[in-house]
Amino acid sequence: GDATGEGEEEGGGDVPTSPDDLAAVRHMDAVLDELRRRNFLTDDLLLPSPYRGQTGPRTYMGVCRLRSGTPHRRIDVKAYPGCQAATALVYFTGDAWFNRSLRACAKRAGLTLTDTGLARCERRRVGAQKKVTKVAVRDSVKVRNERDLFRLFGIGYVPPRYRICAENDNCGSIDKGGGAHSDSGTDSDG
């Protein structure tokens, strides 16, 4: 699936990875060069650090324009290793409310969720107000696809089109056992 909600079961399929899990990260510079060549990227605001074998995501921020005479727009491009694609897709297809809800599910499960992955986490009450604070991030939890993530939290899969809570009165219906927005298709993951 893809971030637009089109594709295999609206993004619920296995994360597309190649034998080279770092291909997207490694080839980011070539993609940006091609976008510049086509006059799509017009200005650079933040260049990604040079690729030197790093295993995390790379970020580009710039200005783009579809064609001459159209308005310039801000654009961010992030390249993730394949092993982080599922959490990145969920993160970038949900609005702030939806993502906060998923992070709350992760917190209740003793985990921490970001665009770069899911990991076990230790939290403690600290300070005079005994505020619960994350004190250590532990082992990563493997997530093959978006459905794995929702299943791990014990909630039904929510297709990307329902992840914008500000425009969807039913977004809050993320619940145990499927929710109002889980798709009725079969789950190919077993």
Side-chain angles (χ1 to χ4, degrees):
D2 64 17
T4 65
E6 315 213 355
E8 183 186 328
E9 298 186 38
E10 299 194 19
D14 283 344
V15 174
T17 57
S18 68
D20 179 1
D21 195 50
L22 296 174
V25 175
R26 195 177 63 251
H27 295 297
M28 183 178 198
D29 295 325
V31 170
L32 295 174
D33 288 344
E34 179 62 19
L35 293 174
R36 284 187 198 95
R37 188 187 70 72
R38 294 181 184 202
N39 296 318
F40 177 74
L41 294 179
T42 60
D43 293 287
D44 301 325
L45 301 176
L46 173 72
L47 295 171
S49 56
Y51 178 73
R52 293 194 176 100
Q54 63 264 44
T55 59
R58 295 178 71 206
T59 301
Y60 167 84
M61 296 179 188
V63 179
C64 67
R65 185 164 62 174
L66 287 175
R67 58 191 153 280
S68 182
T70 60
H72 286 85
R73 303 280 186 217
R74 272 270 293 111
I75 186 171
D76 294 351
V77 178
K78 289 193 92 163
Y80 288 85
C83 63
Q84 295 175 348
T87 52
L89 280 172
V90 168
Y91 181 86
F92 286 106
T93 57
D95 67 4
W97 291 346
F98 183 82
N99 288 334
R100 276 193 295 264
S101 296
L102 282 184
R103 286 194 306 270
C105 289
K107 187 175 181 178
R108 282 191 299 273
L111 303 167
T112 184
L113 174 65
T114 67
D115 62 321
T116 60
L118 182 68
R120 299 190 198 301
C121 165
E122 181 181 340
R123 291 180 171 84
R124 291 193 190 135
R125 294 194 177 273
V126 296
Q129 287 125 0
K130 298 294 183 186
K131 181 179 176 185
V132 176
T133 303
K134 188 182 332 178
V135 294
V137 176
R138 306 285 183 211
D139 301 328
S140 291
V141 176
K142 184 176 180 180
V143 180
R144 292 177 308 146
N145 56 51
E146 293 175 290
R147 288 184 186 280
D148 277 357
L149 185 64
F150 288 94
R151 195 177 295 121
L152 184 71
F153 296 149
I155 58 178
Y157 174 71
V158 179
R161 70 175 170 258
Y162 295 115
R163 297 178 189 170
I164 308 301
C165 296
E167 298 174 3
N168 183 355
D169 293 337
N170 296 318
C171 186
S173 67
I174 296 174
D175 64 0
K176 305 274 183 189
H181 298 300
S182 63
D183 70 16
S184 58
T186 59
D187 190 330
S188 61
D189 299 336

